[in-house]
Amino acid sequence: MVSYVSAWIWSERFWLPENVTWADLERSPPGVDYPHARHLACALPLAVVVFLFRLLFERLVAKPCANILHIQTGVRRQVQPNALLEKFYQSKTIPDHKHLEGLSKQLDWDLRKLQRWFRVRREQDRPTTETKFCESLWRFTFYSGIFIYAVYNMWHSPWIWDTRQCWYNYPFQPMIQCQYNYYVAELAFYWSLMFSQFTDIQRKDFLIMFIHHLATILLITFSYANNMLRAGALVMCVHDASDIFLEAAKLANYAKYQRLCDAQFVVFTLVFFITRLIIFPFWIIRSVLFESWEIIGPYQAWWVLNGLLLVLQVLHVFWFYLIICIAIKSIFKGKVSKDDRSDIESSSDEEINSNIHVMKCWTYSNFSNSQEGCLIASQRW
């Protein structure tokens, strides 16, 4: 059964073009390496290392930077200890009127006192500005470093400027060390994001970002396994570009440099539009869909990879819609307003009174993100 499942998962007819076998890729010429899926096995333990390094970075670098910029953790009001209310809070942070009436009868508290207790309790769980600053500084550092590494190592590669060269002699294209390093670093980073998403600041688009990270990991793994390294590297590099300015805007917002935040937001919007709504669909997806069809022809994995790329493009359109909504609000309010992806942290009354800027809440890239950034980042392959 195990051998049957393994044969089905690694079916040559799924992963490779016609008349190409895994044995062909194993028999590489002297001095030439082809990628194999087993090479990515180190990404999971490396993701743990990345996560631990992030904790060290936030403690030794990010927090001192926050102190220099006078970003304080703040002192939160504490609620009156109550076992019944605490138990209820763990299952429902914002109780409706019916639940409040029931709790009022049990505790002999009036409704206003109960509402105040839950409001202060939610306030206790809100992440501090320092916490959010540290998270953004870590992402900014990674995206900047990996983008510079990618541009430096790929700038003189002919397939960056002529995407048809991504498919000539495919899949027998030699892998160079910088491509492997780039892939493993990106994959480990997104695995670490997948894990830390459950401990980081919780946002309304949690599910969307989870899908984003999962699609990114699948794209990176699939494109590496069947040697689409050139196209994959292009996707990751394009998505990382906008994530840098996104995190920079968030950092400026947390430090209360409003003009710098607004300027970074404008730059981020322009870079996001150019990279993810122009370059990504009309340069990269066009190459993967049409140029590869013309040069090597479609096969089963080809359809899956293109499907995942189109999923990422749909996410790009959704995120850009949110950006436009924020831009429209800023025109009327005179500054970047509360993000539509706001942290899950406040009641309706608190949302009305809050003055949280847009960049406070955006995460990414995914991908590229990232965030997506989808290489999206991380926005992404």
Side-chain angles (χ1 to χ4, degrees):
M1 177 61 74
V2 173
S3 60
Y4 174 80
V5 172
S6 177
W8 177 75
I9 291 176
W10 297 108
S11 170
E12 294 169 338
R13 296 286 58 81
F14 174 82
W15 288 99
L16 302 172
E18 221 161 306
N19 302 320
V20 179
T21 67
W22 293 120
D24 296 332
L25 294 175
E26 291 287 349
R27 295 192 295 267
S28 58
V32 174
D33 290 323
Y34 296 138
H36 302 287
R38 62 178 180 270
H39 295 165
L40 297 179
C42 65
L44 277 175
L46 185 59
V48 177
V49 175
V50 170
F51 181 73
L52 295 176
F53 180 79
R54 170 189 169 177
L55 298 179
L56 193 64
F57 175 88
E58 291 181 352
R59 183 178 182 86
L60 300 181
V61 178
K63 285 188 176 181
C65 289
N67 292 333
I68 293 173
L69 295 171
H70 305 291
I71 299 174
Q72 304 297 328
T73 58
V75 179
R76 297 280 173 79
R77 285 190 300 166
Q78 300 296 312
V79 297
Q80 175 183 340
N82 188 293
L84 176 62
L85 293 180
E86 185 65 32
K87 182 179 179 180
F88 184 90
Y89 176 83
Q90 298 304 321
S91 60
K92 193 175 183 67
T93 58
I94 305 179
D96 54 30
H97 187 73
K98 182 179 178 181
H99 287 118
L100 287 174
E101 286 184 337
L103 291 170
S104 176
K105 292 177 181 178
Q106 292 183 62
L107 297 172
D108 194 25
W109 287 14
D110 60 48
L111 294 181
R112 182 175 294 277
K113 184 176 181 180
L114 281 170
Q115 290 172 339
R116 188 183 305 113
W117 190 96
F118 279 98
R119 184 168 59 250
V120 174
R121 182 64 183 83
R122 287 192 297 272
E123 182 72 18
Q124 286 182 209
D125 286 347
R126 286 178 57 185
T128 65
T129 303
E130 183 188 64
T131 299
K132 290 177 284 189
F133 177 87
C134 293
E135 177 185 324
S136 289
L137 186 58
W138 161 248
R139 292 172 186 264
F140 173 81
T141 302
F142 176 84
Y143 289 137
S144 300
I146 202 68
F147 179 76
I148 293 171
Y149 179 86
V151 171
Y152 176 80
N153 285 281
M154 296 190 301
W155 186 258
H156 298 292
S157 301
W159 43 268
I160 285 188
W161 313 107
D162 178 12
T163 54
R164 294 180 65 87
Q165 296 199 36
C166 291
W167 313 109
Y168 291 143
N169 198 36
Y170 176 83
F172 302 105
Q173 297 172 340
M175 177 184 67
I176 56 180
Q177 186 63 40
C178 66
Q179 287 177 317
Y180 174 76
N181 296 340
Y182 189 36
Y183 258 75
V184 170
E186 289 276 10
L187 186 58
F189 178 72
Y190 277 96
W191 270 118
S192 71
L193 285 186
M194 183 83 107
F195 302 146
S196 63
Q197 190 179 6
F198 295 92
T199 59
D200 285 343
I201 303 163
Q202 297 296 302
R203 297 181 171 90
K204 293 179 181 178
D205 66 343
F206 176 89
L207 180 59
I208 294 175
M209 290 305 298
F210 185 84
I211 295 173
H212 162 267
H213 296 330
L214 181 61
T216 299
I217 290 169
L218 289 175
L219 281 170
I220 292 174
T221 304
F222 281 9
S223 63
Y224 186 90
N226 62 1
N227 201 11
M228 286 190 179
L229 300 187
R230 296 178 179 180
L234 287 176
V235 175
M236 289 189 287
C237 187
V238 163
H239 285 78
D240 283 333
S242 62
D243 289 337
I244 297 171
F245 297 101
L246 169 60
E247 300 302 333
K250 291 163 65 177
L251 292 171
N253 178 62
Y254 300 144
K256 300 187 184 303
Y257 294 125
Q258 185 57 44
R259 291 186 178 181
L260 179 59
C261 173
D262 292 342
Q264 291 287 0
F265 176 70
V266 171
V267 175
F268 161 71
T269 302
L270 292 175
V271 174
F272 188 99
F273 178 78
I274 292 171
T275 57
R276 305 197 187 191
L277 297 184
I278 296 180
I279 294 177
F280 183 63
F282 298 109
W283 183 39
I284 298 176
I285 292 184
R286 179 188 60 83
S287 176
V288 179
L289 271 174
F290 301 109
E291 292 178 350
S292 66
W293 181 297
E294 176 186 343
I295 296 172
I296 63 176
Y299 52 99
Q300 294 181 44
W302 182 92
W303 292 101
V304 174
L305 291 168
N306 277 283
L308 289 171
L309 283 177
L310 293 174
V311 168
L312 295 183
Q313 184 57 36
V314 170
L315 292 176
H316 294 167
V317 174
F318 170 75
W319 278 316
F320 192 70
Y321 163 76
L322 294 182
I323 294 172
I324 293 301
C325 290
I326 294 165
I328 292 174
K329 289 179 183 179
S330 69
I331 292 174
F332 293 101
K333 294 185 178 181
K335 59 183 177 181
V336 176
S337 62
K338 191 177 187 296
D339 184 5
D340 286 343
R341 297 176 56 214
S342 177
D343 306 344
I344 300 175
E345 59 186 16
S346 61
S347 66
S348 58
D349 290 339
E350 292 162 335
E351 289 174 353
I352 292 173
N353 295 323
S354 64
N355 185 25
I356 307 170
H357 302 297
V358 57
M359 293 310 167
K360 166 187 174 182
C361 308
W362 277 76
T363 60
Y364 221 124
S365 210
N366 328 336
F367 78 140
S368 42
N369 249 243
S370 357
Q371 145 48 262
E372 5 115 8
C374 307
L375 342 117
I376 347 211
S378 112
Q379 187 225 305
R380 188 169 266 195
W381 289 12

